[in-house]
Amino acid sequence: MTDSSVRNAQKLYEGKAKIIYATDDPEILVTYFKDDATAFNAQKKGQIANKGAINCKVTTHLYGLLTEKGVETHLIETTSDREMRVKRVDIVPLEVVVRNIAAGSLCKQTGIALGTRLEESLVEFYYKNDDLGDPLLTRDRIAAMKLTSPDMLDQLTEKAQTVNAVLTEFFARCGITLVDFKLEFGTDKDGTLLLADEISPDTCRLWNAAEPDEKKRVMDKDRFRQDLGDVAAGYQAVLDRILSQMS
Ligand code: TMP
Ligand code: ASP
């Protein structure tokens, strides 16, 4: 049972990794981080011990760092091990993926070798639509679908690049290579664009910089996707390194 269900809060939405609850204030929601893990559009399902608590803490710390650097997020306050109070936002229906090093679908779709450092980081937009399998979009397709404006795409790109610069530098200090990651954004009641959702080992590829072995270096959800074992230990190691760097 979750902290929020004890309070009989109204569940608004249950996703693959989080539950969203209503609060007395319509502009404030509660996000509850679950241990459930899915991959390949939920074809693979499992649990990662303590993942919810780890991802809640990792997101809290990274959001704090980004806020200090001028990137606004939806986080108001982290209220328990697995819960945060967040501003209600209208989510932009795009997953914004930033890539520094080739991995995952980029390798599959282009043939670029795993681990190739990209001369320029890529910022890509995927359609948030499980029924369609979150397809990669182009600016022209986004316009044709009337998903959002070119100006919004420019803002998303600029914010994603700022997040990349801040997180790449921070993770490097943790001895971790930020390979790629996914962001989500939303607009609040005043129309301000805020970073939303989470930033965690579920949504980033993170490699132990000191480990040359292709499998051993993985500290993120690829341990689950690829059945590499020690999934929870990878997540915990990311949190431990973040905490020791922040203190
Ligand atoms: P990809 O290589 O599978 O396209 O993933 C790129 C990055 O986005 C990687 O860090 C994992 C993250 N990601 C998510 O957070 N959610 C998703 O549903 C997918 C497909 C990827
Ligand atoms: N989160 C996505 C899913 O379950 C995909 C992934 O992270 O690989 O379906």
Side-chain angles (χ1 to χ4, degrees), residues 16 38-42 202 221 225:
K16 292 176 219 159
T38 65
F40 315 116
N41 205 10
D202 267 10
K221 193 169 158 188
R225 293 190 189 97

Side-chain angles (χ1 to χ4, degrees), residues 8-20:
N8 287 323
Q10 186 199 351
K11 193 195 275 191
L12 295 180
Y13 172 77
E14 179 154 7
K16 292 176 219 159
K18 292 188 295 299
I19 307 173
I20 310 291

Side-chain angles (χ1 to χ4, degrees), residues 95 97 99 103-106 126 134 180-182 202-205 225:
E95 300 200 340
V97 169
R99 299 181 190 273
S105 67
L106 179 66
Y126 292 79
D134 295 350
D180 60 27
F181 57 96
K182 185 264 302 179
D202 267 10
T203 63
C204 302
R205 285 198 174 91
R225 293 190 189 97

